[in-house]
Each structure stands twice: as structure tokens, then as C-alpha cells.
Amino acid sequence: MNTNDKKPSWKHRLHEIIYEADTKEGKFFDVILLIAIIASILLVMLESIESFDAKYHTYLNISEWIITILFSIEYILRVVAINKPFKYIFSFYGIIDFLSTIPKYLSLVIVGSHHFAALRALRLLRVFRILKLARYVGASNKLLIALKASKAKIAVFLFFVVILCIILGTIMYMVEGAVNGFTSIPRSVYWAIVTLTTVGFGDIAPQTPLGQLIASIIMILGYGIIAIPTGIVSSEMTKNTDNKIHTNTQACPNCGKENHKDGAEFCYNCGSKLN
């Protein structure tokens, strides 16, 4: 008898509900999870408002414990549902799930650590899979591929910008001097970085005509520099000939890998059969 025709085991079914979004149960689980994450983040925000926390601290604390326990159960189920639990535990989402669960427990030992529960906002990244926004996931994957391909060029560019800021900061230190707020080269380099990135805090400003001229050149130069990384990444994205966006939400029940191609029957990482 073909083992694939057998009724799925409880572990297989649990994996399908927790890790995938192709079934009604899976979608329901993901939507409930999304609501719990948003509720948890709101609770942390409300707790940071002293007047509100003073009035409703008990209710906020109880609600936060309920959500923390639910997240703890979910984390345990995710570990149990996969054949290679360490693959999930040390994965990006596994680490995020763990970090979003422990702050409330740490608050029993370290005062104030429960505020780190705001890290649960990172769990909202699951919204792409929950709402079946696979086309945007595909686009984000292309962007990540382009960033990885252009990391060497961007690193060289950033190194050039750092050198440029050091040179410009030193020049401004010599031109303006301590009397105009440029008390040291590091402080002048800080000003150059702020000006080059067009942030312009205004805490330091050149007073001499020559200094203002240099500042104007730096500000104009900043607009051109901002566009360079965009051009580098865009160039790498155009080199990507694979325009196919895959909407498969299946996760491997063995190693937990996601992002499988449409119609895939086996995991691209370990070769195990998908659900």
C-alpha cells in the first residue's frame, strides 16, 4: 500500500496547520496568531504610558501573561511539528519567536525587561504569508538577491563616503574653527555626515562665507550620493532574468525550509516530500 495514501498523522497535520496557509485551518491559525501579535504590541505600548498603566496595570499584566503563555505553547508546537527542530530553533523566524516569548519570563528576574516584548513586532513579517501576499514576498526575495549581489559595490561606496566625510570634516575644522562650533575633527566629521546625508540637525552651522560655500557643495553632493546605492541595486535587479513569482506557501515538514516553487513535490534543501 502506498504510504502517501494513508491518513496524515497528527504530527503531519499539526505541521500543515502551523507552518502552511493553504488550508482553512492553517489560515485560521495564522489570522489568530496575527491578531495575538498585534494585541501584544498594543499592550506593551499602553503599558509604557504611565497614567494608563497606573490605572489598568493589573489587567494589562494579566493580558500580557495570557498572550505570553499562548506564544509559548505555539513555540513548543512549532518545535514538535518539525522533524528537525533545531532547523527551526536557529532559523530567522525561530529566533524571533523565541525572543518574543522570553521577555515576560525575564521580567520575573530583571525589572523592566518585559518591554522587550515589543520585539514581537518582527513577527508581523509573517503577514506576507498569512495574507497570501506572495507576489510581494517574491518581490522582496528579488530585492534581497540584488542586495547580496551588490554588497561588494555598496561596501566600497560606503568606504568612499566615510573617507569623504573625514576629509570634508577636517577641512571644515580648519576653515571654521572652535569659535564657530567645530571644536574638533570628530565633531566636524559628524557635521559632514549629517550634512552629506541631507539630515541637517542645525546644531552646528558654518559662519564664514567659505564654510557656507563648502556646506552648500556638500549638500548638493549629498543628493547625488544618495542615488548611487539605488542605481547599484537596480542594476543587479535588472540582471535577474527569473521574473516568475512563486506563490507556494508550503514549508518542509523535515527541515522547515520555505520558498518552494509552485508545483514542487519535494524540498529543495533536504529532498523530503512536501505536504
Side-chain angles (χ1 to χ4, degrees), residues 1-9 12-13 16 250 253 264-266 271-275:
M1 182 178 179
N2 190 348
T3 56
N4 293 332
D5 295 333
K6 292 181 179 179
K7 186 177 180 179
S9 65
H12 179 96
R13 186 61 176 159
E16 192 174 42
Q250 288 179 303
E265 297 182 5
F266 299 92
S272 299
K273 186 171 179 59
L274 300 175
N275 291 336

Side-chain angles (χ1 to χ4, degrees), residues 39-90:
S40 176
I41 295 169
L42 289 175
L43 286 172
V44 174
M45 290 181 177
L46 291 173
E47 197 173 6
S48 67
I49 304 173
E50 292 183 4
S51 58
F52 192 91
D53 180 58
K55 190 175 182 179
Y56 301 103
H57 177 76
T58 302
Y59 299 104
L60 292 173
N61 189 48
I62 293 173
S63 300
E64 183 61 27
W65 270 115
I66 291 172
I67 292 178
T68 298
I69 292 171
L70 289 175
F71 282 161
S72 300
I73 294 172
E74 180 227 352
Y75 180 81
I76 294 171
L77 290 176
R78 286 185 180 275
V79 173
V80 171
I82 193 169
N83 292 336
K84 296 181 179 179
F86 287 105
K87 292 287 185 179
Y88 162 71
I89 292 172
F90 294 105

